[in-house]
Coordinates of all heavy atoms in Angstrom, one line a residue:
M1 N -54.8 -45.4 -31.0 CA -55.3 -44.4 -31.9 C -56.1 -45.1 -33.0 O -55.7 -46.0 -33.6 CB -54.1 -43.6 -32.4 CG -54.5 -42.5 -33.4 SD -53.1 -41.5 -33.7 CE -53.7 -40.6 -35.1
Y2 N -57.2 -44.4 -33.4 CA -58.0 -45.0 -34.4 C -57.6 -44.4 -35.8 O -57.1 -43.3 -35.9 CB -59.5 -44.5 -34.2 CG -60.2 -45.3 -33.1 CD1 -60.1 -44.8 -31.7 CD2 -60.9 -46.4 -33.3 CE1 -60.7 -45.5 -30.7 CE2 -61.5 -47.2 -32.2 CZ -61.4 -46.7 -30.9 OH -61.9 -47.3 -29.9
E3 N -57.9 -45.1 -36.8 CA -57.8 -44.5 -38.2 C -59.1 -44.0 -38.6 O -60.1 -44.5 -38.3 CB -57.4 -45.7 -39.2 CG -56.0 -46.1 -39.0 CD -55.7 -47.2 -40.1 OE1 -56.1 -47.1 -41.2 OE2 -55.0 -48.2 -39.7
L4 N -59.1 -42.9 -39.4 CA -60.3 -42.3 -40.0 C -60.4 -42.8 -41.4 O -59.5 -42.6 -42.1 CB -60.2 -40.8 -39.9 CG -60.2 -40.1 -38.5 CD1 -60.0 -38.7 -38.6 CD2 -61.6 -40.4 -37.8
H5 N -61.7 -43.3 -41.7 CA -62.0 -43.6 -43.0 C -63.3 -43.0 -43.5 O -64.3 -42.9 -42.6 CB -62.1 -45.2 -43.2 CG -60.9 -45.9 -43.0 ND1 -60.1 -46.3 -44.1 CD2 -60.3 -46.4 -41.9 CE1 -59.0 -46.9 -43.6 NE2 -59.1 -47.0 -42.3
F6 N -63.4 -42.4 -44.6 CA -64.6 -41.7 -45.1 C -65.3 -42.6 -46.2 O -64.6 -43.2 -47.1 CB -64.2 -40.4 -45.8 CG -63.9 -39.3 -44.8 CD1 -62.7 -39.2 -44.1 CD2 -64.9 -38.3 -44.6 CE1 -62.4 -38.2 -43.3 CE2 -64.6 -37.3 -43.7 CZ -63.4 -37.2 -43.0
L7 N -66.6 -42.7 -46.1 CA -67.3 -43.2 -47.3 C -67.2 -42.1 -48.4 O -67.0 -41.0 -48.2 CB -68.8 -43.3 -46.9 CG -69.2 -44.4 -46.0 CD1 -70.7 -44.4 -45.8 CD2 -68.7 -45.8 -46.5
T8 N -67.3 -42.6 -49.7 CA -67.2 -41.7 -50.8 C -68.2 -40.5 -50.7 O -67.9 -39.4 -51.0 CB -67.4 -42.5 -52.1 OG1 -66.5 -43.6 -52.1 CG2 -67.1 -41.6 -53.3
S9 N -69.4 -40.9 -50.3 CA -70.5 -39.8 -50.2 C -70.2 -38.8 -49.1 O -70.4 -37.6 -49.2 CB -71.8 -40.5 -49.9 OG -71.8 -41.2 -48.7
A10 N -69.5 -39.3 -48.0 CA -69.1 -38.4 -46.9 C -68.0 -37.5 -47.4 O -68.0 -36.3 -47.0 CB -68.7 -39.2 -45.7
K11 N -67.0 -38.0 -48.2 CA -66.0 -37.1 -48.7 C -66.6 -36.0 -49.5 O -66.1 -34.8 -49.5 CB -65.0 -37.9 -49.6 CG -64.0 -38.7 -48.8 CD -63.0 -39.3 -49.7 CE -62.0 -40.2 -49.0 NZ -61.1 -40.8 -49.9
K12 N -67.6 -36.3 -50.4 CA -68.2 -35.3 -51.2 C -68.9 -34.3 -50.4 O -68.8 -33.0 -50.6 CB -69.2 -36.0 -52.2 CG -68.6 -36.7 -53.3 CD -69.7 -37.3 -54.2 CE -69.0 -38.1 -55.3 NZ -69.9 -38.8 -56.2
E13 N -69.7 -34.7 -49.3 CA -70.3 -33.8 -48.5 C -69.3 -32.9 -47.7 O -69.6 -31.7 -47.7 CB -71.2 -34.5 -47.4 CG -72.3 -35.3 -48.0 CD -73.0 -36.2 -47.0 OE1 -72.4 -36.5 -45.9 OE2 -74.2 -36.5 -47.2
F14 N -68.2 -33.4 -47.3 CA -67.2 -32.7 -46.6 C -66.6 -31.6 -47.5 O -66.4 -30.5 -47.1 CB -66.1 -33.6 -46.1 CG -65.1 -33.0 -45.3 CD1 -65.3 -32.4 -44.0 CD2 -63.8 -32.7 -45.8 CE1 -64.3 -31.8 -43.3 CE2 -62.8 -32.1 -45.1 CZ -63.0 -31.6 -43.9
S15 N -66.3 -32.0 -48.8 CA -65.6 -31.1 -49.7 C -66.6 -29.9 -50.1 O -66.1 -28.9 -50.5 CB -65.2 -31.8 -51.0 OG -66.3 -32.3 -51.7
K16 N -67.9 -30.1 -50.0 CA -68.9 -29.0 -50.3 C -69.0 -28.0 -49.3 O -69.6 -26.9 -49.5 CB -70.2 -29.6 -50.7 CG -70.3 -30.4 -52.0 CD -71.7 -31.0 -52.1 CE -71.7 -31.8 -53.4 NZ -73.0 -32.4 -53.6
L17 N -68.5 -28.3 -48.0 CA -68.6 -27.3 -47.0 C -67.6 -26.2 -47.2 O -66.5 -26.4 -47.9 CB -68.3 -28.0 -45.6 CG -69.2 -29.1 -45.2 CD1 -68.7 -29.7 -44.0 CD2 -70.7 -28.6 -45.0
D18 N -67.8 -25.0 -46.6 CA -66.9 -23.9 -46.6 C -65.6 -24.2 -45.9 O -65.5 -25.0 -45.0 CB -67.5 -22.5 -46.3 CG -68.0 -22.6 -44.8 OD1 -68.2 -23.7 -44.3 OD2 -68.3 -21.5 -44.3
T19 N -64.5 -23.5 -46.2 CA -63.2 -23.7 -45.7 C -63.1 -23.7 -44.1 O -62.6 -24.6 -43.5 CB -62.2 -22.8 -46.3 OG1 -62.2 -23.0 -47.7 CG2 -60.8 -23.2 -45.9
P20 N -63.6 -22.7 -43.5 CA -63.6 -22.6 -42.0 C -64.3 -23.8 -41.4 O -63.8 -24.3 -40.4 CB -64.3 -21.3 -41.6 CG -64.3 -20.5 -42.9 CD -64.3 -21.4 -44.0
A21 N -65.4 -24.2 -42.0 CA -66.1 -25.4 -41.4 C -65.3 -26.7 -41.6 O -65.2 -27.5 -40.6 CB -67.5 -25.6 -42.1
Q22 N -64.7 -26.8 -42.7 CA -63.8 -28.0 -43.0 C -62.7 -28.0 -42.0 O -62.4 -29.1 -41.4 CB -63.2 -27.9 -44.4 CG -64.2 -28.2 -45.5 CD -63.6 -28.3 -46.8 OE1 -62.4 -28.0 -47.0 NE2 -64.4 -28.5 -47.9
K23 N -62.0 -26.9 -41.7 CA -60.9 -26.9 -40.8 C -61.4 -27.2 -39.4 O -60.7 -28.0 -38.7 CB -60.4 -25.4 -40.8 CG -59.1 -25.3 -40.0 CD -58.5 -23.9 -40.0 CE -57.3 -23.8 -39.1 NZ -56.8 -22.5 -39.1
L24 N -62.5 -26.7 -39.0 CA -63.0 -27.0 -37.6 C -63.4 -28.5 -37.5 O -63.0 -29.2 -36.5 CB -64.3 -26.2 -37.3 CG -64.9 -26.3 -36.0 CD1 -64.0 -25.9 -34.9 CD2 -66.3 -25.6 -36.0
I25 N -64.0 -29.1 -38.5 CA -64.4 -30.5 -38.5 C -63.2 -31.3 -38.5 O -63.1 -32.4 -37.8 CB -65.4 -30.8 -39.6 CG1 -66.7 -30.0 -39.4 CG2 -65.6 -32.3 -39.8 CD1 -67.7 -30.1 -40.5
K26 N -62.2 -31.0 -39.3 CA -61.0 -31.8 -39.4 C -60.3 -31.8 -38.0 O -59.8 -32.9 -37.6 CB -60.1 -31.2 -40.5 CG -58.9 -32.1 -40.8 CD -58.0 -31.4 -41.8 CE -58.6 -31.2 -43.1 NZ -57.7 -30.7 -44.1
E27 N -60.2 -30.7 -37.4 CA -59.6 -30.6 -36.0 C -60.2 -31.6 -35.0 O -59.7 -32.3 -34.3 CB -59.6 -29.2 -35.5 CG -58.6 -28.3 -36.1 CD -58.8 -26.9 -35.7 OE1 -59.6 -26.6 -34.8 OE2 -58.1 -26.0 -36.2
K28 N -61.6 -31.5 -35.0 CA -62.4 -32.4 -34.2 C -62.2 -33.9 -34.5 O -62.2 -34.7 -33.6 CB -63.9 -32.0 -34.1 CG -64.1 -30.6 -33.6 CD -63.7 -30.4 -32.1 CE -64.1 -29.1 -31.6 NZ -63.9 -28.9 -30.2
L29 N -62.2 -34.2 -35.8 CA -62.0 -35.6 -36.2 C -60.7 -36.1 -35.7 O -60.6 -37.3 -35.3 CB -62.3 -35.7 -37.7 CG -63.7 -35.6 -38.1 CD1 -63.7 -35.7 -39.7 CD2 -64.6 -36.6 -37.5
L30 N -59.7 -35.3 -35.9 CA -58.3 -35.8 -35.4 C -58.3 -36.0 -33.9 O -57.7 -36.9 -33.4 CB -57.3 -34.7 -35.9 CG -57.0 -34.7 -37.3 CD1 -56.0 -33.5 -37.6 CD2 -56.5 -36.0 -37.9
L31 N -59.0 -35.1 -33.2 CA -59.1 -35.2 -31.7 C -59.9 -36.5 -31.4 O -59.6 -37.3 -30.5 CB -59.8 -34.0 -31.1 CG -59.9 -34.0 -29.7 CD1 -58.5 -33.9 -29.0 CD2 -60.6 -32.7 -29.2
L32 N -61.0 -36.8 -32.2 CA -61.8 -38.0 -32.0 C -60.9 -39.3 -32.3 O -61.0 -40.2 -31.5 CB -62.9 -38.0 -32.9 CG -63.8 -39.3 -32.9 CD1 -64.6 -39.3 -31.6 CD2 -64.8 -39.2 -34.1
A33 N -60.1 -39.2 -33.2 CA -59.2 -40.4 -33.5 C -58.2 -40.6 -32.4 O -57.8 -41.8 -32.2 CB -58.6 -40.2 -34.9
T34 N -57.6 -39.6 -31.9 CA -56.6 -39.7 -30.9 C -57.1 -40.0 -29.5 O -56.6 -40.8 -28.8 CB -55.6 -38.5 -30.9 OG1 -56.4 -37.3 -30.6 CG2 -54.9 -38.5 -32.2
N35 N -58.2 -39.2 -29.1 CA -58.7 -39.4 -27.7 C -60.2 -39.1 -27.7 O -60.6 -38.0 -27.4 CB -57.9 -38.4 -26.8 CG -58.2 -38.7 -25.3 OD1 -59.0 -39.6 -25.0 ND2 -57.6 -38.0 -24.4
P36 N -61.0 -40.1 -28.0 CA -62.4 -39.9 -28.0 C -63.1 -39.4 -26.7 O -64.1 -38.8 -26.7 CB -63.0 -41.3 -28.4 CG -61.8 -42.1 -28.8 CD -60.6 -41.5 -28.3
E37 N -62.4 -39.7 -25.5 CA -62.9 -39.3 -24.2 C -63.1 -37.8 -24.1 O -63.9 -37.3 -23.3 CB -62.0 -39.9 -23.1 CG -62.2 -41.3 -22.9 CD -63.6 -41.6 -22.3 OE1 -64.0 -41.0 -21.4 OE2 -64.2 -42.6 -22.9
L38 N -62.2 -37.0 -24.8 CA -62.3 -35.6 -24.7 C -63.6 -35.0 -25.3 O -64.0 -34.0 -25.0 CB -61.1 -34.9 -25.3 CG -59.7 -35.2 -24.7 CD1 -58.6 -34.5 -25.5 CD2 -59.7 -34.7 -23.3
L39 N -64.2 -35.7 -26.2 CA -65.4 -35.3 -27.0 C -66.7 -36.1 -26.5 O -67.7 -35.9 -27.1 CB -65.2 -35.5 -28.5 CG -64.1 -34.7 -29.1 CD1 -63.9 -35.1 -30.5 CD2 -64.4 -33.2 -29.0
K40 N -66.6 -36.8 -25.4 CA -67.7 -37.6 -25.0 C -69.0 -36.8 -24.7 O -70.1 -37.4 -24.9 CB -67.3 -38.5 -23.8 CG -67.2 -37.7 -22.5 CD -66.8 -38.6 -21.3 CE -66.6 -37.8 -20.1 NZ -66.3 -38.7 -19.0
N41 N -68.9 -35.6 -24.4 CA -70.2 -34.8 -24.2 C -70.8 -34.5 -25.5 O -72.0 -34.1 -25.5 CB -69.9 -33.5 -23.4 CG -69.4 -33.8 -22.0 OD1 -69.8 -34.8 -21.4 ND2 -68.7 -32.9 -21.4
N42 N -70.1 -34.5 -26.6 CA -70.7 -34.2 -27.9 C -71.0 -35.4 -28.8 O -71.4 -35.2 -29.9 CB -69.7 -33.3 -28.7 CG -69.6 -31.9 -28.0 OD1 -70.5 -31.4 -27.5 ND2 -68.4 -31.3 -28.0
I43 N -70.8 -36.6 -28.2 CA -71.1 -37.8 -28.9 C -72.4 -38.5 -28.3 O -72.5 -38.7 -27.2 CB -69.9 -38.8 -28.9 CG1 -68.7 -38.1 -29.5 CG2 -70.2 -40.1 -29.5 CD1 -67.4 -38.9 -29.4
K44 N -73.3 -38.9 -29.3 CA -74.4 -39.6 -28.8 C -74.7 -40.8 -29.8 O -74.5 -40.7 -31.0 CB -75.7 -38.8 -28.8 CG -75.8 -37.8 -27.7 CD -77.2 -37.2 -27.6 CE -77.4 -36.4 -26.4 NZ -78.7 -35.7 -26.4
P45 N -75.2 -41.9 -29.3 CA -75.6 -43.0 -30.2 C -76.9 -42.6 -30.8 O -77.8 -42.0 -30.2 CB -75.8 -44.2 -29.2 CG -76.0 -43.6 -27.9 CD -75.2 -42.3 -27.8
L46 N -77.1 -43.1 -32.1 CA -78.3 -42.7 -32.8 C -79.3 -43.9 -32.7 O -78.9 -45.0 -32.4 CB -78.0 -42.4 -34.3 CG -77.1 -41.1 -34.4 CD1 -76.7 -41.0 -35.9 CD2 -77.8 -39.9 -33.9
R47 N -80.5 -43.6 -32.9 CA -81.6 -44.6 -32.9 C -82.3 -44.6 -34.3 O -82.0 -43.8 -35.2 CB -82.7 -44.2 -31.9 CG -82.0 -44.2 -30.5 CD -83.1 -43.9 -29.5 NE -83.4 -42.4 -29.6 CZ -84.4 -41.8 -28.9 NH1 -85.1 -42.5 -28.1 NH2 -84.7 -40.6 -29.1
G48 N -83.2 -45.5 -34.5 CA -84.0 -45.6 -35.7 C -83.2 -46.1 -36.9 O -82.5 -47.0 -36.8
E49 N -83.3 -45.3 -38.0 CA -82.6 -45.6 -39.2 C -81.1 -45.7 -39.1 O -80.5 -46.5 -39.8 CB -83.0 -44.5 -40.3 CG -82.4 -44.7 -41.6 CD -82.7 -43.6 -42.6 OE1 -83.6 -42.8 -42.3 OE2 -82.0 -43.5 -43.5
Y50 N -80.6 -44.9 -38.2 CA -79.1 -44.8 -38.1 C -78.6 -45.6 -36.9 O -77.6 -45.3 -36.4 CB -78.6 -43.3 -37.9 CG -78.8 -42.6 -39.3 CD1 -79.8 -41.7 -39.4 CD2 -77.9 -42.8 -40.3 CE1 -80.0 -40.9 -40.6 CE2 -78.0 -42.1 -41.5 CZ -79.1 -41.2 -41.6 OH -79.2 -40.5 -42.8
K51 N -79.4 -46.5 -36.4 CA -79.0 -47.3 -35.1 C -77.7 -48.0 -35.4 O -77.4 -48.6 -36.5 CB -80.1 -48.4 -34.8 CG -79.8 -49.1 -33.6 CD -81.0 -50.0 -33.1 CE -80.6 -50.6 -31.8 NZ -81.8 -51.1 -31.1
G52 N -76.8 -47.9 -34.4 CA -75.5 -48.5 -34.6 C -74.4 -47.5 -34.9 O -73.2 -47.7 -34.9
N53 N -74.9 -46.3 -35.3 CA -74.0 -45.2 -35.5 C -74.0 -44.1 -34.4 O -74.8 -44.2 -33.5 CB -74.4 -44.4 -36.8 CG -74.3 -45.3 -38.1 OD1 -73.5 -46.2 -38.2 ND2 -75.1 -45.0 -39.1
F54 N -73.0 -43.2 -34.4 CA -72.9 -42.2 -33.5 C -72.9 -40.8 -34.1 O -72.6 -40.7 -35.3 CB -71.6 -42.4 -32.7 CG -71.6 -43.6 -31.9 CD1 -71.0 -44.8 -32.4 CD2 -72.0 -43.6 -30.5 CE1 -71.0 -46.0 -31.7 CE2 -71.9 -44.8 -29.8 CZ -71.5 -45.9 -30.4
R55 N -73.3 -39.8 -33.3 CA -73.3 -38.5 -33.9 C -72.3 -37.6 -33.1 O -72.3 -37.7 -31.9 CB -74.8 -37.9 -33.6 CG -74.9 -36.4 -34.1 CD -74.8 -35.4 -33.0 NE -75.7 -35.5 -31.9 CZ -75.5 -35.0 -30.7 NH1 -74.4 -34.4 -30.4 NH2 -76.4 -35.1 -29.8
L56 N -71.5 -36.9 -33.8 CA -70.6 -36.0 -33.2 C -71.0 -34.6 -33.5 O -71.2 -34.2 -34.7 CB -69.1 -36.2 -33.7 CG -68.1 -35.1 -33.3 CD1 -67.9 -35.1 -31.8 CD2 -66.8 -35.3 -34.0
R57 N -71.3 -33.8 -32.5 CA -71.8 -32.4 -32.6 C -70.6 -31.4 -32.7 O -69.8 -31.4 -31.8 CB -72.7 -32.0 -31.5 CG -73.4 -30.7 -31.7 CD -74.3 -30.5 -30.5 NE -73.4 -30.3 -29.3 CZ -73.9 -30.4 -28.1 NH1 -75.1 -30.7 -27.8 NH2 -73.0 -30.1 -27.1
I58 N -70.5 -30.7 -33.8 CA -69.5 -29.6 -33.9 C -70.1 -28.4 -34.3 O -70.5 -28.1 -35.5 CB -68.4 -30.1 -35.0 CG1 -67.9 -31.4 -34.7 CG2 -67.4 -29.0 -35.1 CD1 -67.1 -32.1 -35.8
H59 N -70.5 -27.5 -33.4 CA -71.2 -26.3 -33.6 C -72.5 -26.6 -34.3 O -73.4 -27.4 -33.8 CB -70.4 -25.2 -34.2 CG -69.3 -24.7 -33.4 ND1 -69.5 -23.9 -32.3 CD2 -68.0 -25.0 -33.5 CE1 -68.2 -23.7 -31.7 NE2 -67.3 -24.4 -32.5
E60 N -72.7 -26.0 -35.5 CA -74.0 -26.3 -36.2 C -73.8 -27.5 -37.2 O -74.7 -27.7 -38.1 CB -74.5 -25.0 -36.9 CG -73.5 -24.5 -37.8 CD -73.8 -23.1 -38.2 OE1 -74.3 -22.3 -37.3 OE2 -73.6 -22.7 -39.4
Y61 N -72.8 -28.2 -37.2 CA -72.5 -29.3 -38.1 C -72.5 -30.6 -37.3 O -72.4 -30.7 -36.1 CB -71.1 -29.2 -38.7 CG -71.1 -27.9 -39.6 CD1 -70.6 -26.7 -39.1 CD2 -71.6 -28.0 -40.9 CE1 -70.5 -25.6 -39.9 CE2 -71.5 -26.8 -41.7 CZ -71.1 -25.6 -41.2 OH -71.0 -24.6 -42.0
R62 N -72.9 -31.7 -38.0 CA -72.9 -33.0 -37.4 C -72.1 -34.0 -38.3 O -72.1 -33.9 -39.5 CB -74.3 -33.5 -37.4 CG -75.3 -32.6 -36.6 CD -74.9 -32.6 -35.1 NE -75.8 -31.8 -34.3 CZ -75.7 -30.6 -34.0 NH1 -74.7 -29.9 -34.4 NH2 -76.6 -30.0 -33.2
V63 N -71.4 -34.9 -37.6 CA -70.7 -36.0 -38.3 C -71.3 -37.3 -37.8 O -71.3 -37.5 -36.5 CB -69.2 -35.9 -37.9 CG1 -68.5 -37.1 -38.6 CG2 -68.6 -34.6 -38.4
I64 N -71.8 -38.1 -38.7 CA -72.3 -39.4 -38.3 C -71.3 -40.5 -38.6 O -70.7 -40.5 -39.7 CB -73.6 -39.7 -39.2 CG1 -74.6 -38.6 -39.1 CG2 -74.2 -41.0 -38.8 CD1 -75.2 -38.3 -37.8
F65 N -70.9 -41.3 -37.6 CA -69.8 -42.2 -37.8 C -70.1 -43.6 -37.1 O -71.0 -43.7 -36.2 CB -68.5 -41.6 -37.2 CG -68.5 -41.4 -35.8 CD1 -67.9 -42.3 -34.9 CD2 -69.0 -40.2 -35.3 CE1 -67.9 -42.1 -33.6 CE2 -68.9 -40.0 -33.9 CZ -68.4 -40.9 -33.0
Q66 N -69.4 -44.6 -37.5 CA -69.4 -45.9 -36.9 C -68.0 -46.1 -36.3 O -67.0 -45.7 -36.8 CB -69.6 -47.0 -38.0 CG -71.0 -46.9 -38.6 CD -71.1 -48.0 -39.8 OE1 -70.2 -48.6 -40.1 NE2 -72.3 -48.0 -40.3
V67 N -68.0 -46.9 -35.2 CA -66.7 -47.3 -34.5 C -66.6 -48.8 -34.8 O -67.4 -49.6 -34.4 CB -66.7 -46.9 -33.1 CG1 -65.4 -47.4 -32.4 CG2 -67.0 -45.4 -32.9
K68 N -65.4 -49.2 -35.2 CA -65.1 -50.6 -35.4 C -63.9 -50.8 -34.5 O -62.7 -50.7 -35.0 CB -64.8 -50.9 -36.9 CG -65.9 -50.6 -37.8 CD -65.7 -51.0 -39.2 CE -67.0 -50.7 -39.9 NZ -67.0 -51.4 -41.3
D69 N -64.2 -51.2 -33.2 CA -63.1 -51.3 -32.2 C -62.1 -52.4 -32.5 O -60.9 -52.3 -32.3 CB -63.7 -51.6 -30.9 CG -64.4 -50.3 -30.2 OD1 -63.8 -49.3 -30.4 OD2 -65.4 -50.4 -29.6
E70 N -62.6 -53.5 -33.1 CA -61.7 -54.6 -33.3 C -60.6 -54.3 -34.4 O -59.5 -54.8 -34.4 CB -62.4 -55.9 -33.8 CG -63.2 -55.8 -35.0 CD -64.6 -55.1 -34.9 OE1 -65.1 -54.9 -33.8 OE2 -65.2 -54.9 -35.9
E71 N -60.9 -53.3 -35.3 CA -60.0 -52.9 -36.3 C -59.4 -51.5 -36.0 O -58.6 -51.0 -36.8 CB -60.6 -52.9 -37.7 CG -61.2 -54.2 -38.1 CD -62.2 -54.1 -39.2 OE1 -62.4 -53.1 -39.8 OE2 -62.9 -55.1 -39.4
L72 N -59.8 -50.8 -35.0 CA -59.4 -49.5 -34.6 C -59.7 -48.5 -35.8 O -58.8 -47.7 -36.2 CB -57.9 -49.4 -34.2 CG -57.6 -50.2 -32.9 CD1 -56.1 -50.1 -32.6 CD2 -58.4 -49.6 -31.7
I73 N -60.9 -48.5 -36.3 CA -61.3 -47.7 -37.4 C -62.5 -46.9 -37.0 O -63.5 -47.4 -36.4 CB -61.6 -48.5 -38.6 CG1 -60.3 -49.2 -39.2 CG2 -62.3 -47.6 -39.7 CD1 -60.6 -50.1 -40.3
I74 N -62.5 -45.6 -37.3 CA -63.7 -44.8 -37.3 C -64.1 -44.5 -38.7 O -63.4 -43.9 -39.4 CB -63.5 -43.5 -36.5 CG1 -63.2 -43.8 -35.0 CG2 -64.7 -42.6 -36.6 CD1 -62.8 -42.6 -34.2
L75 N -65.3 -45.0 -39.1 CA -65.9 -44.8 -40.5 C -66.8 -43.7 -40.5 O -67.9 -43.7 -39.8 CB -66.5 -46.1 -40.9 CG -67.2 -46.1 -42.3 CD1 -66.0 -45.9 -43.4 CD2 -67.9 -47.3 -42.6
I76 N -66.5 -42.6 -41.2 CA -67.3 -41.4 -41.3 C -68.4 -41.7 -42.4 O -68.1 -42.0 -43.5 CB -66.5 -40.2 -41.7 CG1 -65.3 -40.0 -40.8 CG2 -67.4 -38.9 -41.7 CD1 -65.5 -39.8 -39.4
V77 N -69.6 -41.6 -42.0 CA -70.8 -42.0 -42.9 C -71.4 -40.7 -43.5 O -71.6 -40.7 -44.7 CB -71.9 -42.7 -42.0 CG1 -73.1 -43.1 -42.9 CG2 -71.3 -44.0 -41.5
R78 N -71.6 -39.7 -42.7 CA -72.1 -38.5 -43.2 C -71.5 -37.3 -42.6 O -71.1 -37.3 -41.4 CB -73.7 -38.4 -43.0 CG -74.4 -39.5 -43.6 CD -75.7 -39.2 -44.3 NE -75.8 -37.9 -45.0 CZ -76.9 -37.3 -45.1 NH1 -78.0 -37.7 -44.6 NH2 -76.9 -36.2 -45.8
V79 N -71.5 -36.1 -43.3 CA -71.0 -34.9 -42.7 C -71.9 -33.8 -43.3 O -72.1 -33.7 -44.5 CB -69.5 -34.6 -43.2 CG1 -69.0 -33.3 -42.6 CG2 -68.5 -35.7 -42.8
G80 N -72.3 -32.9 -42.5 CA -73.1 -31.7 -43.0 C -73.7 -30.9 -41.9 O -73.5 -31.1 -40.7
H81 N -74.5 -29.9 -42.4 CA -75.2 -29.0 -41.5 C -76.3 -29.8 -40.7 O -76.8 -30.8 -41.3 CB -75.8 -27.8 -42.2 CG -76.3 -26.8 -41.4 ND1 -77.6 -26.8 -40.8 CD2 -75.8 -25.7 -40.9 CE1 -77.8 -25.7 -40.0 NE2 -76.6 -25.0 -40.2
R82 N -76.6 -29.4 -39.5 CA -77.5 -30.2 -38.7 C -78.9 -30.4 -39.3 O -79.6 -31.3 -39.0 CB -77.6 -29.7 -37.3 CG -78.2 -28.3 -37.2 CD -78.0 -27.7 -35.8 NE -78.7 -26.4 -35.7 CZ -79.7 -26.2 -35.0 NH1 -80.4 -27.2 -34.4 NH2 -80.3 -25.0 -35.0
K83 N -79.3 -29.4 -40.1 CA -80.6 -29.5 -40.8 C -80.7 -30.6 -41.9 O -81.7 -31.0 -42.2 CB -81.0 -28.1 -41.3 CG -81.3 -27.1 -40.3 CD -81.6 -25.8 -40.9 CE -81.8 -24.7 -39.9 NZ -82.2 -23.4 -40.5
E84 N -79.5 -30.9 -42.4 CA -79.5 -31.7 -43.6 C -79.0 -33.1 -43.4 O -79.1 -34.0 -44.2 CB -78.6 -31.1 -44.7 CG -79.1 -29.7 -45.1 CD -77.9 -28.9 -45.8 OE1 -76.9 -29.4 -45.9 OE2 -78.2 -27.8 -46.2
V85 N -78.3 -33.4 -42.2 CA -77.7 -34.7 -42.0 C -78.7 -35.8 -41.7 O -78.5 -36.9 -42.2 CB -76.6 -34.5 -40.9 CG1 -76.2 -35.9 -40.5 CG2 -75.5 -33.7 -41.4
Y86 N -79.7 -35.5 -41.0 CA -80.6 -36.6 -40.5 C -81.6 -37.0 -41.5 O -82.2 -36.4 -42.2 CB -81.3 -36.3 -39.1 CG -80.3 -36.0 -38.1 CD1 -80.0 -34.7 -37.6 CD2 -79.5 -37.0 -37.5 CE1 -79.2 -34.4 -36.5 CE2 -78.6 -36.8 -36.5 CZ -78.4 -35.4 -36.1 OH -77.5 -35.3 -35.1

């Protein structure tokens, strides 16, 4: 099982979202931490400026994250609406 860590900026972005969106994103992040294989269709590696990061699609929201396998950590970099995240 992976640990979830948020950057300070990602915490601020997450707290600005409305409550139903926060609840939905929180459920998916917990699922990602316990069993990433279940969400593999919604995860893509990013290119360009965000190379080395991954994108998790949750309806109209996106979570940009890094995976540190050697430490079993998922670092959340950005959270927000799909129009604003990239």
Side-chain angles (χ1 to χ4, degrees):
M1 183 170 162
Y2 288 88
E3 287 184 39
L4 293 173
H5 292 267
F6 282 79
L7 290 180
T8 306
S9 57
K11 278 185 184 180
K12 287 181 183 178
E13 291 172 343
F14 182 74
S15 66
K16 290 180 183 178
L17 298 175
D18 58 345
T19 306
Q22 285 182 3
K23 184 178 178 183
L24 181 64
I25 291 171
K26 190 182 295 185
E27 288 174 4
K28 295 293 182 178
L29 287 177
L30 290 174
L31 186 60
L32 177 68
T34 56
N35 192 355
E37 283 296 311
L38 294 177
L39 297 172
K40 69 180 179 182
N41 292 335
N42 293 325
I43 296 174
K44 280 191 175 179
L46 296 177
R47 297 180 290 175
E49 180 184 344
Y50 291 105
K51 186 174 182 160
N53 294 333
F54 295 89
R55 179 265 294 159
L56 172 62
R57 187 180 68 200
I58 305 170
H59 294 288
E60 56 194 40
Y61 297 95
R62 302 294 184 264
V63 176
I64 309 298
F65 65 94
Q66 297 175 353
V67 178
K68 300 184 180 195
D69 285 323
E70 63 277 352
E71 301 163 10
L72 293 177
I73 292 175
I74 294 177
L75 179 65
I76 309 301
V77 178
R78 299 222 37 208
V79 178
H81 193 274
R82 66 189 182 111
K83 292 180 181 177
E84 301 163 357
V85 167
Y86 300 111

